[in-house]
Amino acid sequence: MTTKFRASELEVTTEQISQLVVRSQGLFIWSSTLIKYVLSSRNPKHEIKQFLSPAGKTSEKPFEALYGLYDQVIESAIGRKENTAVTHAILGVILLSAGRRPLSADAIAVFLRHDKRFISEDRNSVLHTTHSLHAVLYEDRDGPIRVLHPSFLDYLQGKLESGFTVRGEEMHALMLRGSLATMHGGLK
């Protein structure tokens, strides 16, 4: 995905761009994610102003700033509170499958349907979620959903171990049940 960025579209001055460069702390992925996130938002001018506000301080640790941006991307994608668990579950499946063989939206939906909380999830609902996370994920045409940068996997690993509504053990169990059910139904 190519994103064209013109500072004039967002009414950002050269000084403000310099401010964002300082906040990125040399991490290109922070800048890239920020631009994708801002340009896809409903109100890009407002979003960029939020990042330029004094409340948007520079962190001492570069990955702290990057992970804070990832938090914002996910919060924005969740939208309503009732979407939290399914968004976290989709991200958990993506994390657990990323190292071996990334999964398509269809495959992710199959895993989710083996948990009573996510029984109604289908390809379209998974795609809706992953499209809203396009600042950190991409999908090859009807293919696997992948992360844009390995740092997002590190971030997800930390979240899965501590703060997500769906924990790591639950994700492994969900994928195990989905795998067994698929084998039971499809092996001859």
Side-chain angles (χ1 to χ4, degrees), residues 91-103 145-147 150 153 157 175:
L91 289 170
V93 171
I94 289 170
L95 170 66
L96 294 179
S97 66
R100 291 171 182 79
R101 175 174 276 171
L103 301 173
I145 296 167
R146 301 175 189 276
V147 297
L153 292 176
Q157 184 65 47
M175 292 185 75

Side-chain angles (χ1 to χ4, degrees), residues 95-174:
L95 170 66
L96 294 179
S97 66
R100 291 171 182 79
R101 175 174 276 171
L103 301 173
S104 68
D106 288 323
I108 292 171
V110 166
F111 282 114
L112 294 178
R113 284 193 298 260
H114 293 285
D115 185 308
K116 63 183 176 202
R117 295 173 295 171
F118 313 123
I119 199 88
S120 65
E121 297 304 316
D122 61 9
R123 178 182 194 277
N124 290 334
S125 63
V126 171
L127 283 174
H128 176 76
T129 300
T130 58
H131 287 305
S132 66
L133 291 163
H134 85 278
V136 292
L137 301 175
Y138 72 95
E139 178 193 12
D140 294 330
R141 188 170 221 181
D142 292 326
I145 296 167
R146 301 175 189 276
V147 297
L148 285 170
H149 194 266
S151 64
F152 189 64
L153 292 176
D154 295 338
Y155 162 84
L156 287 177
Q157 184 65 47
K159 287 293 188 180
L160 196 62
E161 291 170 357
S162 63
F164 269 12
T165 51
V166 181
R167 302 249 183 230
E169 308 83 45
E170 292 176 61
M171 289 310 309
H172 284 287
L174 179 129

